[in-house]
Amino acid sequence: MCDDATVEPEPVRPPAIRVDITPRTIGYVLLAIASVWILFKLTSVVLVVLVALVLVGTIEPLVGWLVERRMKRGYALALVFVVILVTFAGLVLLTVPPLVSQLFGLVTEAPATRDQLVQWLSQRGGTESLVASVRSLPVEDLTARAGSALLGYSSTILTAIGYAITTLFLAIYMLADPVRSKGLVYAMVSRRHHVKLARILIELKVIVGGYMRGQLITSGAITVFVFVLLKVFGVENALSIAIFAGLTDVIPFVGGLIASAPVIASVAPSGPVTMAIVTVIMFTYQEFESRLLVPRVYGRVLRLAPSIVLLALLVGGTLMGILGALLALPIAAGLQMLIRELRVSLPGQAGAHTAMIARDEKVEHIYEELTEGATAAEAAIIAGDLATQIKATSDDDEDHPKGSPDGHERR
């Protein structure tokens, strides 16, 4: 006789997950990897194109303004570039000679200045170690050291000049024949996306214009501040040093240090105490500019939050140095604009763009009817006109939203 045994049920196994990787998926992955590799190898070319586009967006409004007043485009383009080059050359001639003269004077008087500083510190108690450090400074061979450093950077400087000339001529070619340039861009994009592309190009022009206005505001602010500061301390070349500070202020992070150096050096004849006071004042202003002025100015003109402005500058400077920091803000504003114009719904925004997507589809249908049989250049003009009308309607809706006291019902 057998005892009945308890039969335990078999454990339930979870269903197997099968992952099928098709050849098309493998091809897409390889294509993405190859694209990233090519982009990394062509980083310098991409930067040249980006800077050229910034120049085009900056100069195009001036050229267009002259063309509207019946000046031929070639003459208008030549006039704008001549004015820019003459202005830049004038600023350089106004600032460089006095600064070079001041630099040579400081190098020549460096040993005597060091001795005066040592004598001043020796009269204070507890400065023995600082006096020893100052006395050991090798200021006698500053000229030779500066020359060697400049020679070491000569190849880098020549390369940068070559890239700058290439960027300038690329911008000139784009501005000389904008219809053909736009036609080439539109020919590489599917016609159903032309109106969307036109909206993006218009917004990019707005971003570049806002970025340049922000640069002018911050540079003008430090120019006025440095001029008033140096006039208070009776410095002779106050205007030249102030203009130099305004020009170098466009460089993120290190621009403030470059701008402050000649300001502090210019008050050296007044003694160490005056130099210390000016150093503290310039440091305070740089903190005010980087923490308050820059985020607010660029955040307003580029529609970026102040925290995004600071984060973009840090990321751009970390990835690509000074040039990356210079391009960080327009790139960040451009990415934000692309998310908006491509109707990308972020987490928590599901269905937020339903009405806009419906309107876009209607406009695209109208565009296809209007551009039937048209060339890419002709289609670009039509797409630009439609995008301009859409932007004007959208801006009007933002200024006078539906249901607002000064707005009206729109169908």
Side-chain angles (χ1 to χ4, degrees):
M1 184 174 180
C2 298
D3 296 331
D4 293 337
T6 302
V7 180
E8 296 188 8
E10 296 183 359
V12 180
R13 297 181 180 179
I17 299 175
R18 183 178 177 182
V19 179
D20 292 328
I21 301 178
T22 63
R24 177 178 294 182
T25 303
I26 296 175
Y28 285 153
V29 172
L30 293 177
L31 181 61
I33 294 173
S35 301
V36 173
W37 181 81
I38 292 174
L39 185 64
F40 177 76
K41 288 294 183 180
L42 298 179
T43 301
S44 58
V45 178
V46 174
L47 290 176
V48 167
V49 174
L50 286 176
V51 176
L53 290 175
V54 171
L55 288 177
V56 170
T58 304
I59 298 173
E60 172 61 28
L62 300 176
V63 176
W65 184 80
L66 292 174
V67 171
E68 290 176 356
R69 279 145 185 81
R70 299 181 181 180
M71 180 179 288
K72 291 184 178 180
R73 187 170 188 86
Y75 294 152
L77 184 60
L79 177 62
V80 170
F81 270 97
V82 167
V83 170
I84 292 175
L85 291 176
V86 170
T87 303
F88 180 75
L91 292 176
V92 171
L93 290 176
L94 185 63
T95 57
V96 172
L99 291 176
V100 171
S101 176
Q102 183 184 42
L103 178 61
F104 276 111
L106 289 174
V107 171
T108 304
E109 298 174 1
T113 304
R114 181 192 59 186
D115 296 339
Q116 292 177 2
L117 182 59
V118 168
Q119 183 179 1
W120 182 82
L121 290 174
S122 300
Q123 298 174 359
R124 273 72 184 169
T127 59
E128 291 78 11
S129 58
L130 183 58
V131 168
S133 299
V134 173
R135 186 178 285 115
S136 63
L137 290 176
V139 296
E140 288 79 9
D141 56 346
L142 282 178
T143 305
R145 290 174 179 267
S148 300
L150 186 61
L151 185 62
Y153 284 106
S154 59
S155 60
T156 304
I157 294 173
L158 291 176
T159 302
I161 293 174
Y163 277 122
I165 294 174
T166 303
T167 303
L168 181 62
F169 275 96
L170 180 60
I172 291 175
Y173 293 148
M174 292 180 181
L175 288 166
D177 195 353
V179 176
R180 180 177 297 180
S181 301
K182 285 185 178 180
L184 179 62
V185 175
Y186 278 81
M188 295 186 294
V189 178
S190 175
R191 185 155 292 197
R192 64 186 299 267
H193 299 302
H194 278 188
V195 179
K196 193 175 298 182
L197 174 62
R199 290 204 316 265
I200 291 173
L201 293 178
I202 291 175
E203 291 296 330
L204 285 177
K205 187 181 296 186
V206 173
I207 288 172
V208 171
Y211 177 66
M212 297 309 297
R213 286 195 300 274
Q215 290 283 15
L216 290 175
I217 291 172
T218 54
S219 295
I222 193 173
T223 300
V224 173
F225 177 80
V226 170
F227 179 76
V228 173
L229 176 65
L230 295 183
K231 276 298 182 180
V232 169
F233 286 95
V235 177
E236 294 182 0
N237 298 322
L239 180 60
S240 301
I241 299 173
I243 293 175
F244 178 79
L247 293 175
T248 56
D249 189 67
V250 302
I251 306 174
F253 302 121
V254 298
L257 298 176
I258 299 174
S260 299
V263 176
I264 298 170
S266 64
V267 297
S270 300
V273 176
T274 304
M275 292 180 65
I277 294 173
V278 172
T279 301
V280 172
I281 293 175
M282 290 301 299
F283 175 78
T284 304
Y285 179 84
Q286 294 299 331
E287 287 296 307
F288 161 76
E289 181 182 275
S290 60
R291 308 298 180 188
L292 295 176
L293 185 61
V294 168
R296 291 184 179 275
V297 169
Y298 288 104
R300 182 173 299 175
V301 298
L302 298 181
R303 300 178 183 178
L304 293 173
S307 58
I308 299 297
V309 172
L310 293 176
L311 184 61
L313 289 173
L314 289 174
V315 172
T318 302
L319 293 178
M320 292 183 292
I322 294 176
L323 187 57
L326 280 171
L327 297 175
L329 295 183
I331 289 176
L335 291 176
Q336 178 176 271
M337 178 270 297
L338 286 176
I339 292 175
R340 182 177 67 250
E341 294 298 330
L342 296 178
R343 314 308 185 200
V344 178
S345 295
L346 298 176
Q349 293 182 337
H353 303 302
T354 304
M356 292 183 178
I357 293 174
R359 185 191 65 179
D360 292 346
E361 292 176 352
K362 183 178 180 180
V363 172
E364 289 168 2
H365 179 69
I366 296 173
Y367 172 75
E368 290 178 358
E369 293 180 351
L370 292 175
T371 58
E372 185 176 357
T375 63
E378 295 169 346
I381 296 175
I382 298 174
D385 293 338
L386 287 175
T388 302
Q389 295 176 15
I390 293 173
K391 177 174 174 55
T393 304
S394 301
D395 293 343
D396 195 18
D397 288 340
E398 291 179 0
D399 294 336
H400 306 288
K402 180 179 177 181
S404 63
D406 54 351
H408 58 276
E409 190 80 15
R410 282 185 173 80
R411 299 185 185 273

